[in-house]
């Protein structure tokens, strides 16, 4: 982590969990537990809870994110949510290209690219997720998979459009929800690779400023070690973000 260039970001992806009442309570508890912490914090509740949670976090240091969007502003697209709607409700961030969306809901490198463009057009910070599967890692394809995801996902953008805006989240699919965290060496190796890829495909400014988060079974017990790695700027947390008490321990990783 390099806090002079990149302020740490700890993000919670609540996935398809929590009723409105549960989400509001967790958000209230989280605001209380994290007051005064000098770390960027984001939570991404399910769409149904965004509006009530927005009321809870307004004016606090907890920012709101969507878990997905569709790339059009409006139209006859049953079941979809647009960047206009997310911005309108008070989102600052939006998670894009999560492996669960790629795996179960047909997100592709091309649709992810369109979604990132839509987010940027509406001043939403994309949290752009990349990561290899177990089989891809076993086959020695980790770097080629990540290269393709990043290159296609960010095709057509300039460093100017992305610098100080986009966040990349490295989430090895085999570490998500499995309790199997990647080792420090594996994480640092990939984060260095992603940062050098930003330099190769764009420039030094993007490489220096892009926040690269790690995601996959992050817990209070392992967050400090992960956050010590020089190219890790934060965490994207699933299961352990559902409890305000547990998540706030992750947010206070340096204590
Ligand atoms: P877990 O923290 O539950 O492994 O989930 C990680 C994740 O997918 C966050 O987006």
């Amino acid at each position: 982590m390099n806090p002079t260039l990149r302020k740490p970001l700890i993000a919670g992806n609540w996935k398809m969990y929590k009723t409105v009442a549960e989400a509001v309570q967790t958000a209230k508890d989280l605001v209380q537990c994290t007051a005064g912490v000098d770390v960027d914090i984001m939570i991404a509740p399910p769409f149904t809870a965004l509006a009530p949670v927005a009321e809870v976090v307004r004016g606090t240091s907890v920012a709101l994110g969507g878990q997905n969007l569709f790339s059009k502003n409006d139209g006859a697209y049953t079941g979809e949510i647009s960047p206009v709607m997310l911005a309108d409700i008070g989102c600052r961030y939006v998670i894009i290209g999560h492996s669960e969306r790629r795996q179960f809901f047909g997100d592709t490198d091309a649709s992810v690219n369109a979604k990132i463009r839509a987010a940027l057009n509406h001043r939403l910070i994309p949290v752009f997720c990349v990561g290899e599967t177990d089989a891809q890692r076993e086959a020695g394809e980790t770097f080629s998979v990540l290269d393709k995801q990043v290159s296609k996902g960010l095709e057509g953008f300039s460093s100017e459009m992305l610098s100080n805006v986009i966040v990349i989240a490295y989430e090895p699919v085999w570490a998500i929800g499995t309790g199997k965290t990647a080792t420090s060496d594996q994480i640092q190796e990939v984060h260095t690779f992603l940062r050098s890829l930003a330099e190769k495909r764009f420039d030094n400014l993007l490489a220096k400023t892009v926040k690269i988060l790690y995601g996959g079974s992050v817990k209070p017990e392992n967050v400090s070690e992960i956050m010590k790695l020089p190219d890790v700027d934060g965490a994207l947390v699933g299961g352990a973000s559902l409890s305000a008490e547990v998540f706030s321990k992750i947010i206070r990783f340096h204590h």
Side-chain angles (χ1 to χ4, degrees), residues 5-6 162-166 195 204-212 233:
L5 283 172
R6 306 180 295 268
L162 302 174
S163 292
N164 291 306
V165 184
I166 193 154
R195 204 173 294 287
N204 186 253
L205 176 67
L206 184 66
K208 275 206 314 222
T209 57
V210 63
K211 288 185 196 184
I212 308 179
D233 307 306

Side-chain angles (χ1 to χ4, degrees), residues 220-239:
E221 296 76 33
N222 59 24
V223 66
S224 308
E225 189 183 332
I226 294 168
M227 289 301 294
K228 272 189 206 130
L229 301 170
D231 282 302
V232 172
D233 307 306
L236 181 54
V237 186

Side-chain angles (χ1 to χ4, degrees), residues 67 69 94-98 107 112 115-116 119 126-129:
Q67 295 179 15
L69 51 64
V94 57
I95 299 170
I96 294 177
H98 191 282
D107 273 17
V112 164
K115 289 178 183 199
I116 292 173
V127 178
F128 167 36
C129 301

